[in-house]
């Protein structure tokens, strides 16, 4: 087949700027071949090169004594968890593919992140997802939502990995561009860490997995451009097709092969397929690599070199084998009935040389294509809409005295899809497979128990040492509305809420992986959002000693209707020292005391936690106001205090206050999701807020007597009930322990107050405006069935 002439129009269609093409000419000393142009196009895309985000990513804290493989070194970060054991984890996105083909886009996103984990030598043992869609009143949104959830369930369930945690938000900003972020965690011993390096000149290069097809062509480039109706239709071929059963075979075969010691390097063929795996392994090792494309298994006739190199067909691996041990590789992959082919060799040239039937179709310095992509410092400018956001005042809302009955607002918030139970989602996932799930979806964080069969196999004849009991907590968080209204505070809040969820579960953080979902970085206002969110993430990670182990950047998330809200999703993993420390969010026993740790309302916040709140959006139809302030020192003190209280014994439940505020948190505590069961146990509570309001009024009166202006600080009932002031946790304990918990919290500098008592079948609020009660079963019905009703 005759290759097309390299014209400015063809270069532009490959998303390469004239300046980048000039740089290509300088590197090669000649015009590129068509295959080389495709290689540069995918490797220099934002998805593979991070050319617009590298300067920002360098600001993240990535080093700590327990970090064994840091951010950017390999396919995933690795963290020491003690006793010679380690975990590998990472989060990535499949946003654009899921917008075009929701089932396969989401399914192959799961497959790709699983490969990133076992490529490191770890056995994948748990997954989570973070999803964003438009409003469910839109039939197209319902189609996308249903397809994405089905795709995640299909791949994870068939592979045999529990999807244990995650989050789902609904906002019209995501209507044309849903977000599908997926996370995987694996376990390994320190000595089992594998590297994606083409080491050893003369070592053979093996291709393993199903044959290469035309699916997924240039998927990395597709993910690095704005999503429009035209581009989506043109790029349906850029969406891969996954086979989870094949991936399971590939995983087990690779882990068995790694145990033999025959592997010099291993890399999955993910974004950019064969292109990325070859040049990156050579660049990391400082070697060269030469491959022959005619030896690559192909399932489509007459595939061109361009198509073979850029295909993103799934479940494929590149393995560099120690010379002389080829037969072990062949034997193991034949045993697992997997296709394999010896396609090349490691060289000392420092170049990636690609041949097709003996003819050189690409000859590029490996380091320059893989590691030396252009890096840009984009213009940043604060968006004009923030002036109106900052100008919003509580005086613009109806007087809080009109809140004669808070229950209608609570009912609407509990039924709001973003707050409502995600039972409809996770009931489709097998969250019990592998029998390691301790706390299933539905609490602040999931908890996983590591067992002997969680680890990869050891070499033949080596007896496995005992595996000490380990418990890991997993969560993901990000409030995109906060990030839209104040990107810096929103970035901080994403990390802090994740850490607070872990603390509520009894875990201390080990590390963070993030997925930065933003719009087009060439727009100064959108790049400013990205820069400020990253600054907030970095500051919070440093303050909470949660290093970033890796992640993903997904830019160009916008549709013809506009960009998405900035959404820097954070997944955090923590370690729970003892099983008795594991804590869940629901109330346990009649008569238990309900306590609030943290200030009920941030009196220094003019909006008292209502800025950007769910209450403001659902009840008043407003998405504005500066979001609640996030004080990192206060957050660290709260988390340390809560963990100390849990370790001391006596804390029966802990639940953080986030979307919907205190009233929603209390209602959720009444809905008990029993461990390993889907049938809820409901229990009521009586909460007396009159004391809090009286204390606030007394403080205002004292300030007024001193001549201070108190109108702005006077605590409103709607702010107390539904405000989202940061750094608050609802806990319960036996009545005899209540005073001890309160005293210990205050000794640590954490405000603490008793709110009420667990018991009965109603949720009762006592306020200055009166006493209001609702049946817990009625509230639970609204919360539990909201998504199912919307989807039906």
């Amino acid at each position: 087949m005759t290759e097309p002439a390299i014209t400015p129009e063809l270069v532009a269609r490959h998303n390469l700027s004239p300046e980048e093409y000039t740089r290509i000419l300088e590197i090669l000393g000649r015009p590129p071949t068509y295959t080389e142009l495709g290689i540069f196009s995918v490797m220099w895309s934002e998805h593979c090169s991070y050319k617009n985000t590298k300067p920002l990513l360098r600001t993240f804290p990535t080093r700590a004594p327990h970090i064994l493989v840091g951010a950017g070194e390999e396919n995933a970060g690795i963290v020491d968890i003690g006793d010679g054991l380690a975990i590998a984890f990472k989060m990535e996105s499949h946003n654009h593919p899921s917008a075009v083909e929701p089932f396969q886009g989401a399914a192959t996103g799961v497959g790709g992140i699983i490969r990133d984990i076992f490529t490191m030598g770890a056995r994948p043992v748990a997954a989570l997802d973070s999803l964003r869609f438009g409003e469910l009143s839109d039939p197209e949104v319902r189609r996308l939502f249903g397809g994405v959830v089905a795709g995640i369930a299909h791949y994870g369930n068939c592979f045999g990995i529990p999807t244990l945690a995650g989050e789902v938000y609904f906002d019209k900003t995501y209507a044309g561009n849903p977000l599908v972020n997926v996370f995987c965690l694996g376990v390994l011993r320190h000595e089992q860490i594998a590297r994606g390096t083409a080491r050893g000149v003369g070592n053979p290069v093996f291709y393993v997995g199903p044959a290469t097809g035309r699916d997924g062509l240039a998927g990395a480039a597709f993910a690095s451009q704005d999503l429009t109706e035209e581009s989506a239709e043109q790029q349906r071929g850029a969406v891969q097709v996954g086979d989870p059963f094949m991936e399971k075979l590939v995983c087990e075969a690779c882990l068995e092969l790694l145990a033999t010691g025959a592997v010099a390097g291993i890399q999955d063929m993910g974004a950019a397929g064969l292109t990325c795996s070859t040049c990156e392994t050579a660049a990391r090792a400082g070697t060269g690599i030469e491959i022959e494309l005619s030896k690559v298994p192909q399932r489509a006739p007459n595939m061109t070199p361009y198509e073979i190199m850029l295909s993103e067909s799934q479940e494929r691996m590149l393995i560099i084998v120690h010379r002389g041990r080829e037969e072990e590789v062949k034997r193991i992959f034949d045993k697992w009935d997997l296709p394999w082919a010896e396609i090349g060799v490691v060289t000392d040239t420092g170049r990636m040389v690609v041949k097709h039937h003996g003819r050189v179709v690409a000859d590029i310095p490996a380091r320059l294509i893989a590691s030396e992509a252009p890096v840009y410092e984009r213009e940043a400018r604060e968006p004009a809409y923030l002036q109106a956001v900052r100008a919003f005042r509580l005086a613009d809302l109806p007087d809080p005295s009109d809140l004669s009955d808070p229950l209608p607002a609570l009912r609407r918030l509990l039924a709001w899809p973003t707050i409502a139970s995600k039972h409809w989602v996770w009931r489709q996932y097998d969250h019990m497979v592998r029998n390691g799930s301790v706390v299933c979806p539905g609490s602040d964080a999931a908890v996983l128990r590591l067992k002997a069969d969680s680890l990869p196999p050891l070499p033949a004849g080596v007896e496995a040492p005992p595996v000490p009991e380990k418990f890991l907590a997993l969560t993901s968080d990000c409030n995109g509305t906060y990030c839209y209204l104040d990107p810096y505070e929103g970035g901080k809040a994403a990390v802090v809420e994740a850490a607070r969820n872990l603390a509520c579960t009894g875990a201390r953080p080990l590390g963070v992986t993030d997925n930065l979902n933003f719009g087009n970085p060439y727009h100064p206002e959108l790049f400013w959002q990205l820069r400020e969110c990253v600054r907030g993430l970095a500051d919070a990670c440093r303050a909470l000693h949660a290093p970033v182990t890796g992640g993903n950047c997904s830019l160009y998330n916008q549709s013809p209707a506009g960009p998405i809200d900035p959404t820097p999703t954070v997944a955090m993993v923590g370690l729970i020292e003892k099983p008795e420390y594991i804590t869940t969010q629901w109330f346990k026993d009649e008569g238990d005391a309900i306590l609030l740790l943290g200030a009920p309302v941030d009196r220094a916040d003019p909006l008292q936690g209502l800025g950007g709140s769910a209450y403001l959006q659902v009840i008043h139809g407003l998405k504005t106001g500066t979001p609640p302030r996030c004080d990192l020192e206060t957050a660290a003190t709260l988390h340390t205090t809560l963990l100390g209280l849990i370790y001391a014994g006596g804390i029966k439940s802990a639940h953080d206050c986030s979307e919907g505020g205190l009233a929603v948190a209390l209602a959720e505590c009444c809905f008990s999701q029993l461990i390993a069961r889907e049938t809820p146990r409901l229990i009521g509570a009586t909460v007396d807020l009159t004391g809090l309001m009286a204390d606030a009024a007394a403080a205002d009166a004292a300030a007024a007597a001193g001549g201070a202006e108190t109108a702005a600080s006077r605590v409103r009932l709607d702010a107390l009930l539904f405000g989202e002031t940061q750094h608050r946790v609802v806990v319960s304990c036996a009545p005899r322990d209540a005073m001890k918990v309160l005293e210990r919290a205050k000794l640590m500098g954490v405000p603490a107050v008793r709110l009420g008592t667990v018991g009965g079948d109603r949720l009762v609020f006592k306020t200055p405006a009166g006493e209001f009660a609702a049946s817990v079963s009625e509230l639970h019905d609204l919360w539990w069935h909201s998504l199912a009703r919307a989807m039906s």
Side-chain angles (χ1 to χ4, degrees):
M1 181 179 292
T2 304
E3 293 188 343
I6 308 300
T7 64
E9 293 75 21
L10 186 65
V11 171
R13 285 204 298 273
H14 280 75
N15 292 320
L16 291 165
S17 69
E19 294 77 16
E20 288 170 343
Y21 183 67
T22 298
R23 174 66 177 143
I24 291 169
L25 295 177
E26 293 171 354
I27 290 172
L28 297 177
R30 55 174 172 79
T33 65
Y34 182 51
T35 300
E36 289 172 333
L37 185 69
I39 289 171
F40 275 102
S41 171
V42 293
M43 291 305 299
W44 284 8
S45 68
E46 179 64 36
H47 191 78
C48 289
S49 73
Y50 299 148
K51 59 187 177 184
N52 293 303
T53 52
K54 271 186 178 178
L56 301 179
L57 301 181
R58 293 188 185 115
T59 66
F60 282 140
T62 58
R63 302 293 178 186
H66 62 288
I67 301 296
L68 303 180
V69 176
E73 293 181 34
E74 291 283 351
N75 294 283
I78 297 184
V79 176
D80 179 15
I81 59 171
D83 299 300
L85 302 180
I87 53 174
F89 58 89
K90 189 182 181 184
M91 175 178 269
E92 285 205 343
S93 63
H94 239 216
N95 300 339
H96 284 191
S98 300
V100 175
E101 293 287 352
F103 182 90
Q104 288 295 349
T108 52
V110 174
I113 197 64
I114 289 174
R115 284 196 305 279
D116 277 341
I117 298 308
F118 72 73
T119 296
M120 298 303 301
R123 178 178 294 284
V125 294
L128 65 76
D129 54 24
S130 175
L131 312 176
R132 303 289 193 282
F133 298 92
E135 296 173 328
L136 284 175
S137 56
D138 183 342
E140 174 63 10
V141 170
R142 293 198 297 271
R143 182 187 74 85
L144 290 172
F145 179 39
V148 164
V149 172
I152 292 170
H154 165 73
Y155 209 101
N157 295 354
C158 292
F159 181 87
I161 187 171
T163 304
L164 276 178
E167 55 179 350
V168 190
Y169 281 73
F170 300 91
D171 190 291
K172 63 183 179 181
T173 186
Y174 306 108
N177 195 133
L179 302 185
V180 178
N181 295 175
V182 288
F183 163 102
C184 186
L185 179 143
V187 187
L188 73 167
R189 300 173 181 88
H190 290 194
E191 65 271 18
Q192 292 178 310
I193 296 174
R195 298 284 183 171
T197 53
R199 292 186 290 113
V201 173
N203 280 340
V205 177
F206 276 74
Y207 169 114
V208 178
T212 296
R214 291 191 171 96
D215 56 315
L217 273 177
F222 170 47
S224 302
Q225 57 183 295
D226 290 351
L227 182 63
T228 64
E229 290 183 13
E230 181 182 8
S231 73
E233 190 58 39
Q234 291 173 348
Q235 294 292 346
R236 290 195 184 276
V239 180
Q240 309 92 329
V241 178
D243 181 349
F245 298 108
M246 176 66 76
E247 178 128 322
K248 179 63 173 175
L249 296 177
V250 173
C251 174
E252 296 300 331
C254 287
L255 293 180
E256 182 177 337
L257 179 61
L258 286 167
T260 67
V263 175
I266 182 170
Q267 175 92 347
D268 77 300
M269 297 186 204
L274 192 56
T275 290
C276 189
S277 58
T278 49
C279 68
E280 281 194 351
T281 53
R284 287 193 191 112
T287 59
I289 195 165
E290 182 177 309
I291 59 172
E292 171 53 65
L293 296 184
S294 62
K295 296 181 179 180
V296 173
Q298 299 162 46
R299 68 169 182 265
N302 304 315
M303 289 188 70
T304 65
Y306 180 99
E307 292 172 328
I308 298 169
M309 289 299 292
L310 271 62
S311 168
E312 293 184 9
S313 294
Q314 295 290 284
E315 292 90 37
R316 302 177 302 157
M317 304 291 290
L318 191 79
I319 299 178
I320 294 88
V321 178
H322 289 296
R323 185 168 46 185
R325 305 191 67 175
E326 294 87 345
E327 292 307 314
E328 294 175 74
V329 178
K330 299 172 184 178
R331 175 182 58 80
I332 288 173
F333 285 110
D334 284 343
K335 166 191 167 182
W336 288 96
D337 198 23
L338 286 169
W340 58 266
E342 187 175 340
I343 65 169
V345 65
V346 178
T347 68
D348 61 359
T349 64
R351 305 183 73 83
M352 178 178 74
V353 177
V354 182
K355 295 181 178 179
H356 189 232
H357 295 292
R359 179 174 65 91
V360 175
V361 295
D363 184 353
I364 308 172
R367 182 179 57 81
L368 294 181
I369 184 67
S371 308
E372 300 296 328
V375 176
Y376 300 106
E377 295 274 0
R378 295 293 174 202
E379 179 187 356
R381 182 171 60 245
E382 181 177 292
Y385 72 82
L386 289 177
Q387 294 181 10
V389 166
R390 293 166 183 157
F392 176 78
R393 293 291 181 266
L394 286 184
D396 299 335
L397 293 182
D399 189 280
S401 62
D402 294 340
L403 192 69
S404 57
D405 183 355
L407 293 178
L410 177 60
R411 291 185 180 97
R412 288 179 62 186
L413 285 168
L414 289 173
W416 191 41
T418 292
I419 286 178
S421 170
K422 306 309 181 291
H423 166 72
W424 184 89
V425 175
W426 50 257
R427 73 182 183 190
Q428 301 181 51
Y429 302 155
D430 187 342
H431 46 271
M432 293 300 295
V433 66
R434 299 193 59 83
N435 198 31
S437 306
V438 178
V439 177
C440 296
S443 194
D444 282 333
V447 178
L448 178 74
R449 176 170 61 96
L450 302 186
K451 308 176 298 167
D453 66 359
S454 301
L455 291 158
L458 289 168
V462 176
E463 184 178 352
V467 176
E469 198 168 48
K470 298 280 186 181
F471 295 91
L472 297 173
L474 321 172
T475 189
S476 67
D477 287 287
C478 179
N479 187 318
T481 296
Y482 288 178
C483 295
Y484 170 74
L485 299 174
D486 188 328
Y488 176 68
E489 290 294 333
K492 287 197 297 183
V495 175
V496 167
E497 185 178 353
R500 193 164 63 242
N501 282 331
L502 292 188
C504 287
T505 311
R508 58 176 177 83
L510 292 170
V512 162
T513 178
D514 58 55
N515 205 115
L516 304 179
N517 305 277
F518 290 84
N520 191 323
Y522 290 82
H523 297 176
E525 293 85 357
L526 302 184
F527 189 76
W528 184 87
Q529 291 177 337
L530 170 60
R531 188 190 69 186
E532 290 301 293
C533 277
V534 167
R535 186 166 68 91
L537 293 175
D539 283 353
C541 286
R542 273 189 290 270
L544 301 181
H545 306 291
V548 177
T549 65
N552 175 249
C553 293
S554 175
L555 308 187
Y556 304 93
N557 286 292
Q558 52 196 81
S559 67
I564 65 163
D565 285 350
T567 311
T569 306
V570 168
M572 190 178 288
V573 180
L575 182 68
I576 302 176
E577 300 290 347
K578 298 179 181 179
E580 57 265 32
Y581 295 162
I582 297 172
T583 309
T584 51
Q585 73 180 43
W586 37 85
F587 294 143
K588 301 301 186 295
D589 299 304
E590 296 264 350
D592 281 348
I594 303 169
L595 313 178
L596 177 67
L597 303 183
V601 175
D602 181 359
R603 304 291 295 277
D605 176 3
L607 302 185
Q608 299 181 17
L610 288 175
S613 65
Y615 173 76
L616 212 59
Q617 295 177 68
V618 175
I619 306 304
H620 295 283
L622 297 172
K623 186 176 175 179
T624 189
T626 53
R629 301 181 311 149
C630 188
D631 184 274
L632 297 176
E633 185 176 347
T634 301
T637 300
L638 172 66
H639 303 168
T640 301
T641 301
L642 177 58
L643 286 175
L645 292 170
I646 289 173
Y647 296 169
I651 297 294
K652 292 188 177 182
S653 71
H655 183 29
D656 86 307
C657 294
S658 54
E659 285 88 355
L662 179 61
V664 166
L666 288 164
E668 290 173 338
C669 291
C670 296
F671 309 150
S672 303
Q673 165 62 44
L674 297 181
I675 295 174
R677 285 180 51 188
E678 293 189 357
T679 303
R681 181 175 64 88
L682 308 182
I683 190 168
T686 299
V687 178
D688 190 345
L689 302 179
T690 55
L692 294 181
M693 295 296 290
D695 290 346
D700 288 337
E709 174 59 52
T710 63
S713 66
R714 186 173 296 116
V715 173
R716 297 168 49 129
L717 181 57
D718 53 358
L720 180 60
L721 285 167
F722 305 114
E724 296 173 9
T725 292
Q726 293 284 294
H727 323 308
R728 297 180 300 163
V729 174
V730 174
V731 301
S732 67
C733 64
R736 65 178 180 273
D737 295 328
M739 188 56 65
K740 178 173 61 177
V741 171
L742 292 172
E743 290 174 351
R744 286 180 176 175
K746 292 175 181 176
L747 188 64
M748 293 294 293
V750 174
V753 63
R754 179 165 180 168
L755 293 179
T757 304
V758 175
D761 59 2
R762 300 186 306 161
L763 177 58
V764 181
F765 290 100
K766 296 180 180 179
T767 76
E771 181 173 310
F772 308 98
S775 163
V776 173
S777 61
E778 175 211 351
L779 297 177
H780 177 266
D781 179 75
L782 292 168
W783 176 80
W784 185 258
H785 295 292
S786 177
L787 286 190
R789 288 169 179 148
M791 291 302 290
S792 64

